[in-house]
Amino acid sequence: MTDHGAAELVARTRGDLAAAATGNRFVDMLETGKLPQERLVWLAGEEYRIVSSDRRSFALLAARYPDSSSSELFLGLAQGEGQALALLGDFAGALGQGEKNLMAYEPKPLAQAYPAYLAQRAAFGTAMEVALAMLANLEEWGAYCARIAAALRTRYGFPDEAVGFFDFFAESPPGLEEQALDVIASGLASGDDPVDAARAARLLHAYEAAFWDVLADGLP
């Protein structure tokens, strides 16, 4: 069962992240239909690395925290990343990029700060840190994915199967919020530091913003 402390921590962290949000120039330009296709190739290449890394990070967390609430959350997230990886192939294919292209793509260092930090927290952080960071950042990420899916359909003529990756992330997985709240509540009850957890959420949010900034870098 969740408690009021967990819900309050999530609400406070979400508010802090919303106040720190600075917009997304990449998605804004995509919606105008003027984004160069090269940048969509960048998006596919970066996400190939990110999703592959995040899948392993969540699997590691499930192994580190085998209790029922944590393992259920992190195994579900790892499985979701596996589904997303398959859907990403359809997006890349619509851009003329096969798996060999994705593997050969040279990632931009700052675009990979997000998965690097998540991997660090997976190895050395607490289950509560990661649960809070994922839950607090989920709404913004999902909203961006929904906007990308709509723009790819209406501005670039992509078929439904080519935007399935973004449709997948546009909706929160059923039960995720409740599972994450349970993990956060358990962490608070066992003495985990809420300040550390909120810091992890803030840093993950900043690294996601850096990802979008890299994709838009140099555009008019």
Side-chain angles (χ1 to χ4, degrees):
M1 296 292 289
T2 61
D3 62 17
H4 292 302
E8 289 171 0
L9 178 59
V10 171
R12 184 167 64 250
T13 304
R14 281 173 167 163
D16 291 343
L17 298 187
T22 57
N24 189 321
R25 199 158 65 90
F26 176 88
V27 177
D28 290 344
M29 183 165 285
L30 182 70
E31 289 176 328
T32 69
K34 297 179 181 178
L35 188 79
Q37 179 167 312
E38 176 196 32
R39 298 305 173 103
L40 294 176
V41 173
W42 287 17
L43 176 59
E46 299 294 346
E47 285 293 351
Y48 180 76
R49 301 279 179 173
I50 291 170
V51 174
S52 299
S53 176
D54 289 356
R55 185 184 188 185
R56 292 190 290 270
S57 292
F58 292 134
L60 174 59
L61 282 159
R64 286 186 62 210
Y65 296 99
D67 64 276
S68 59
S69 60
S70 295
S71 64
E72 184 178 359
L73 172 65
F74 295 127
L75 281 175
L77 288 170
Q79 290 167 356
E81 297 294 326
Q83 291 176 261
L85 195 59
L87 294 169
L88 182 63
D90 294 329
F91 173 59
L95 296 167
Q97 304 295 303
E99 187 168 9
K100 287 185 178 179
N101 301 106
L102 294 175
M103 292 176 67
Y105 171 84
E106 287 295 333
K108 312 294 186 289
L110 289 179
Q112 295 298 313
Y114 176 102
Y117 182 68
L118 181 59
Q120 182 203 67
R121 292 297 85 204
F124 303 113
T126 65
M128 184 176 87
E129 284 180 2
V130 179
L132 178 63
M134 298 309 299
L135 188 56
N137 283 284
L138 187 64
E139 185 174 341
E140 182 177 274
W141 162 246
Y144 287 150
C145 286
R147 290 173 61 190
I148 291 170
L152 289 174
R153 286 186 174 97
T154 60
R155 292 292 189 175
Y156 294 84
F158 278 51
D160 287 344
E161 60 269 19
V163 301
F165 175 84
F166 304 102
D167 286 336
F168 178 79
F169 281 119
E171 299 291 335
S172 176
L176 175 64
E177 179 140 355
E178 292 77 11
Q179 291 173 351
L181 281 168
D182 281 345
V183 173
I184 295 165
S186 295
L188 290 172
S190 65
D192 288 348
D193 189 346
V195 175
D196 285 345
R199 181 181 299 116
R202 177 176 55 81
L203 288 172
L204 201 70
H205 182 262
Y207 293 137
E208 183 179 335
F211 164 76
W212 295 116
D213 287 345
V214 168
L215 294 182
D217 186 49
L219 293 174

